[in-house]
Amino acid sequence: MLRRPRRNRRTSAIRGMIRETHLSVDNLVQPLFLVEEMNVREEVKSLPGNYRLCLNEALKEIEACLKLGIHNFILFPAIPEKYKDKTATYSYRDDNFYLQHAKEIRYHFPEICMISDIAMDPYSVDGHDGLVRDGKVLNDETLPILTRMALAQADAGFDLLGPSDMMDGRVGAIRTALDEAGFIDTGIMAYTAKYASAFYGPFRDALDSAPKAGDKKTYQMDPANQREALIEAELDIQEGADFIMVKPALNYLDVISLLKNNTETPVAAYHVSGECAMLLAAAEKGWLNLDRAVEETLTCIKRAGADVLITYFAKHYAQLAKKQVLQGMIHEPKPTVRQRSNIFNK
Ligand code: PBG
């Protein structure tokens, strides 16, 4: 045999030299769920290790993440039923706790990247991302609501706004409104290829935001489609998106790769709640090693082409990196140093 690929896998040092993908904590975004009341740190049952947090607990959590090198956070609100209505008016009200918490977080941690969520679902009695009339999710009538939400969030100090609603034209509407109001530095991380997925379950548990009737298939993409993601990417980029996102991540690695290879805009991947819950559940049963599975999963999402990874394992990964127990690092397995005969001892 003239060629033996195994030669390049023989030692940790050689494997390190030719490793193509290096995941860094810089690439990671940690999601946080916020609640209005004080003194709350309540675990999400379907997503162990993740909590609904009051403002104080969120500040503590961010501080802990910063110590581990995580600088990027995406915030979601758990909205009490009493604030919900047809048109999501609470989403941009001055006394909205999500906006107030964000301002506090901004004040305490000016250096972090703080990402928002724009969609009507947590604020809507219908639980849909857009305005519902006669059982239909309306597109153009939703845009002004999303725009008001965007302006309120920009004002609260978010660095990047995350329209996750999949309405047509929303990136352009939001960009125009932001610029007109002078928020030229507030960016948009568009949920470009967001699929109608079964893997959002634990998230909807955490926020109590599941649709009251029907599903999201008239606005979120069909999991069977790949090329349609190019149309969405083209539109979002034309309309001013600073990041384009694929969501979920693992069943959609081909879509991540497609967008990476056909655009110049940074690609984010959202490793969603259900995908993380699968690993946690299997690990709880002792069916796989969580640390190894997390490292492999995140590395492979990056290999597919994601520049940014939003994952509930951001902190977990950062802890592994700090302990230097990652397989993709030179530290493992420890190279054995051969005992040398010392010629000066003779
Ligand atoms: C809301 C939104 C959802 C997620 C992020 N923003 C749920 C949905 O569209 O139903 C899912 C995130 C996750 O599952 O981790 N528009």
Side-chain angles (χ1 to χ4, degrees):
M1 272 186 271
L2 294 180
R3 302 189 66 190
R4 286 181 180 272
R6 283 188 59 189
R7 273 199 289 265
N8 282 355
R9 298 180 205 131
R10 194 170 55 83
T11 69
S12 174
I14 297 173
R15 290 195 297 273
M17 196 160 51
I18 61 165
R19 185 162 295 122
E20 298 173 32
T21 308
H22 292 274
L23 183 64
S24 153
V25 286
D26 291 346
N27 303 128
L28 303 180
V29 179
Q30 177 68 49
L32 297 176
F33 302 123
L34 304 178
V35 299
E36 180 176 37
E37 317 88 85
M38 299 204 295
N39 304 317
V40 178
R41 185 179 176 86
E42 185 188 359
E43 191 164 53
V44 180
K45 282 199 184 65
S46 48
L47 202 57
N50 286 269
Y51 301 82
R52 292 193 198 86
L53 303 168
C54 66
L55 175 61
N56 260 333
E57 290 294 329
L59 293 171
K60 278 194 236 163
E61 187 66 23
I62 292 169
E63 181 137 40
C65 287
L66 281 174
K67 287 210 178 94
L68 293 164
I70 303 281
H71 293 97
N72 313 309
F73 301 89
I74 186 163
L75 311 180
F76 297 99
I79 304 291
E81 209 56 42
K82 61 180 176 193
Y83 294 141
K84 300 187 183 184
D85 60 17
K86 269 311 262 190
T87 53
T89 52
Y90 183 74
S91 65
Y92 47 81
R93 250 167 56 184
D94 277 346
D95 59 351
N96 172 312
F97 77 85
Y98 176 65
L99 301 172
Q100 290 182 345
H101 286 11
K103 280 182 199 166
E104 282 292 316
I105 293 169
R106 176 85 291 161
Y107 174 78
H108 288 278
F109 303 106
E111 72 277 29
I112 67 169
C113 174
M114 197 165 75
I115 309 170
S116 77
D117 185 62
I118 298 182
M120 286 178 64
D121 56 338
Y123 308 97
S124 149
V125 281
D126 297 302
H128 275 287
D129 295 20
L131 185 64
V132 178
R133 196 181 296 148
D134 303 326
K136 204 176 159 209
V137 178
L138 304 178
N139 193 89
D140 298 14
E141 291 81 348
T142 300
L143 298 183
I145 300 170
L146 300 176
T147 301
R148 287 188 77 164
M149 217 183 282
L151 290 173
Q153 293 177 356
D155 187 56
F158 282 97
D159 298 279
L160 298 173
L161 308 184
S164 66
D165 54 279
M166 289 303 278
M167 298 299 120
D168 293 333
R170 90 278 205 218
V171 174
I174 291 168
R175 185 69 269 160
T176 306
L178 288 174
D179 286 356
E180 278 171 10
F183 293 114
I184 55 165
D185 290 329
T186 306
I188 298 178
M189 182 180 275
Y191 288 59
T192 297
K194 178 173 179 179
Y195 287 88
S197 170
F199 291 90
Y200 305 148
F203 177 95
R204 293 178 188 171
D205 287 347
L207 299 192
D208 190 21
S209 66
K212 299 277 151 58
D215 51 42
K216 298 192 173 186
K217 288 180 186 166
T218 68
Y219 47 105
Q220 298 181 346
M221 282 177 59
D222 183 340
N225 294 354
Q226 187 197 56
R227 296 191 315 149
E228 198 180 329
L230 286 172
I231 302 178
E232 290 286 357
E234 194 184 339
L235 288 170
D236 283 357
I237 293 166
Q238 274 170 4
E239 292 175 30
D242 300 283
F243 293 79
I244 51 176
M245 191 197 294
V246 176
K247 176 185 175 180
L250 291 177
N251 288 342
Y252 303 88
L253 294 180
D254 59 324
V255 182
I256 295 173
S257 161
L258 184 75
L259 294 198
K260 178 59 168 251
N261 293 326
N262 287 283
T263 67
E264 295 79 38
T265 305
V267 175
Y270 200 141
H271 182 220
V272 300
S273 58
E275 300 179 286
C276 296
M278 289 198 292
L279 297 187
L280 290 164
E284 207 176 276
K285 282 184 171 279
W287 290 352
L288 50 74
N289 176 313
L290 187 64
D291 293 352
R292 297 282 81 84
V294 165
E295 184 190 5
E296 179 180 334
T297 301
L298 301 188
T299 301
C300 292
I301 296 171
K302 179 153 186 192
R303 189 204 63 226
D307 301 292
V308 177
L309 280 84
I310 304 172
T311 172
Y312 299 90
F313 289 124
K315 187 181 179 195
H316 187 106
Y317 180 88
Q319 282 163 338
L320 297 180
K322 187 155 194 188
K323 283 190 281 179
Q324 300 192 323
V325 293
L326 296 172
Q327 307 270 25
M329 298 177 98
I330 197 84
H331 312 271
E332 233 274 351
K334 287 212 168 58
T336 44
V337 181
R338 195 167 296 138
Q339 206 62 45
R340 258 177 276 185
S341 58
N342 189 337
I343 51 167
F344 299 108
N345 279 348
K346 298 224 168 105

